[in-house]
Structures are given as C-alpha cells and as structure tokens.
Amino acid sequence: AGAETLKRAVEMDVASRFQESLVCYQEGIDLLLQVVKATKDEEKKHRYRQKISEYMTRAEDIKKHIEKEKQDGKYHKQIRIEENATGFGYEKLFHEYLTEIVSEVWVEDPYIRLVHQASRYSLYNFLRFCEMLIKGPCKVKTIHLLTSCDPGSGRSQQMSGLEEIRQSLKNYGVTLNIEFSSSIHDREIRFNNGWMIKIGRGLDYFKKPQGRFCIGYSDFDLRPCHETTVDVFHTKHTKKM
C-alpha cells in the first residue's frame, strides 16, 4: 500500500499536481514508517530508511514550493469533473482545504433555492455543504451566504428553508448570515485560511437521482455529476462581502 501511494505521489509530482502529490507523499511515508517498525531485517530497514529520507526531502521541497506560491498569490489548481463522474462528494472536494483554523466561510451562489429548474435541488445541496462543515475537522463559527431571491412562487419556500437551516445551525453554535443580490452571477466559496474555490456550477453539480431508493440518493460520493470545472486558489486575504 505504501509503495502504491508513493508511486501515485511521484506521478502527481511529475504532472505538477503538487498539492495532491504532497498528500500522497505524506501518506506513503507514514505507511513505510509502519513497515520499518515491523521489519526485523536490518538491511531492509536501512533501505526503507533511505527511501523515507528521499521522499521526506522531496515532500519538504514541495511544501516550500506550495507555500511560496501561496505567499505570491500564484497558487492555482484545476479539477475537471467529467459528465457522469462519481466520487466528487463535498467531503472529497473540500477536505484538504478545511484545516482546523477555518472558522469563517463565505458562499456566493445565485441559485441557493428550494428547487431551481426541474432537476436541481440547490437549497438541499447547501444544507449538505453546511453538514460537512459541522462534521469538521474545522471549527466553523460563521457562514456568510450571498444568493439571489427566487423571483417566482418559490420565494416563500426559499425563505422558510433558509431560515430553517439558520435555526438548525444555531443549535451547533454556528451563525448563518444571509444576504440577497439581484446582480450576483459568480459562484465561489472562500475560507478564512485563504483558500478560495470556484465551481462552474456552484454547489449544484450533482445530477438528479433516478429515484428515492437508488444508490447515490444519500451518498453524494456515489451520485453522478454534471460536467464542470473546479478552480482552487490561495489568497493572503479573503475578502468579505
């Protein structure tokens, strides 16, 4: 398992996917350290330690490179989600950016409504996003939502749904601030540790489930996605609305 993880780390390193590469290096090194502890052959231990030292040196170099890009405001990672792809639940997409110091989140999405068009459930998706934040490891205290008002008969449902989410979050010590804009068109999510994620479809990149009892209805990792692009940036200062 350690060898496979480190092989993947090297492949991502060569492809300049440094953030993912660093995660794999760290996981692979931990696995190799466990192997060293369990190995009694001193010659094998020596070889493993040499490899660990090489991988640790490369991981440190990547960490410095990423930190420099972040400081220079040049960090950019792009993820392409293909049509009908699975494995892109919110936890999978956001987990590496939700560090323990994250306490404030900004969500800009014009379509956080109960039902937007026939096949979208953006308000439910926002609720799932909030549930992910509650589960941690971050300690979110404030969520800022900027969206647009439903122009039709769904407005009262949108308002009551958002109010229900606000009250529910309060039970977990989280404040939800809601603002509306008639001109908003960008979709982005920002964390106060400097990470900013822009998703072409916003939080609503999942396809409608085929039925209430289909695989993927509850577990978003198993839900097919619409094609979209995710751009990740790091900024020194996360602007507030």
Side-chain angles (χ1 to χ4, degrees):
E4 284 299 315
T5 303
L6 289 165
K7 180 182 176 182
R8 194 160 64 250
V10 173
E11 289 172 353
M12 292 179 179
D13 192 348
V14 172
S16 298
R17 295 165 61 180
F18 297 121
Q19 185 72 31
E20 295 163 277
S21 175
L22 179 59
V23 172
C24 288
Y25 273 126
Q26 291 169 334
E27 290 178 358
I29 288 167
D30 286 341
L31 289 169
L32 272 189
L33 286 170
Q34 292 175 30
V35 172
V36 170
K37 288 180 181 179
T39 301
K40 295 181 180 180
D41 188 315
E42 290 300 324
E43 188 177 339
K44 284 186 177 179
K45 276 189 176 184
H46 178 68
R47 289 203 302 269
Y48 284 139
R49 284 175 179 143
Q50 279 187 319
K51 283 295 181 183
I52 289 170
S53 178
E54 291 173 13
Y55 289 130
M56 287 181 72
T57 299
R58 181 54 188 159
E60 282 301 315
D61 288 342
I62 291 174
K63 194 181 294 184
K64 290 175 184 176
H65 175 75
I66 291 173
E67 191 59 37
K68 186 176 187 306
E69 283 193 325
K70 285 162 59 176
Q71 291 298 321
D72 294 343
K74 295 178 180 178
Y75 183 91
H76 177 216
K77 170 184 173 182
Q78 188 173 83
I79 303 166
R80 184 79 176 180
I81 299 178
E82 302 293 340
E83 185 75 7
N84 291 317
T86 57
F88 289 96
Y90 294 146
E91 286 86 354
K92 181 71 174 292
L93 197 61
F94 294 106
H95 80 279
E96 64 182 285
Y97 313 110
L98 288 171
T99 57
E100 292 184 3
I101 65 170
V102 174
S103 60
E104 199 165 5
V105 179
W106 293 262
V107 178
E108 292 186 10
D109 193 319
Y111 298 117
I112 304 298
R113 302 172 183 173
L114 187 62
V115 179
H116 173 61
Q117 298 181 0
S119 62
R120 299 189 179 187
Y121 297 83
S122 298
L123 194 54
Y124 293 121
N125 290 345
F126 178 65
L127 175 60
R128 293 294 293 269
F129 177 76
C130 291
E131 289 174 338
M132 176 199 65
L133 296 176
I134 293 295
K135 286 162 65 178
C138 55
K139 308 297 180 185
V140 172
K141 295 299 180 185
T142 308
I143 301 171
H144 304 273
L145 171 64
L146 178 64
T147 189
S148 61
C149 280
D150 193 313
S153 58
R155 182 170 182 177
S156 62
Q157 290 179 310
Q158 178 193 23
M159 297 301 180
S160 63
L162 285 172
E163 183 58 30
E164 193 171 342
I165 293 174
R166 193 210 313 255
Q167 292 302 321
S168 185
L169 283 168
K170 192 179 293 185
N171 294 332
Y172 289 87
V174 179
T175 300
L176 173 62
N177 296 322
I178 305 168
E179 292 185 36
F180 297 97
S181 169
S182 59
S183 59
I184 179 177
H185 56 85
D186 288 340
R187 296 171 173 88
E188 66 180 49
I189 296 167
R190 302 188 302 276
F191 305 132
N192 67 325
N193 60 354
W195 290 109
M196 177 170 64
I197 297 94
K198 293 190 175 188
I199 308 174
R201 287 179 172 268
L203 291 172
D204 191 23
Y205 57 88
F206 297 103
K207 289 195 168 183
K208 179 182 178 181
Q210 296 300 305
R212 289 183 298 166
F213 301 102
C214 292
I215 297 298
Y217 184 87
S218 299
D219 190 336
F220 277 23
D221 278 336
L222 300 173
R223 179 84 67 87
C225 299
H226 292 285
E227 181 179 346
T228 193
T229 300
V230 181
D231 288 285
V232 182
F233 304 90
H234 190 277
T235 56
K236 288 184 181 179
H237 305 288
T238 305
K239 67 177 182 179
K240 292 188 178 183
M241 298 177 194

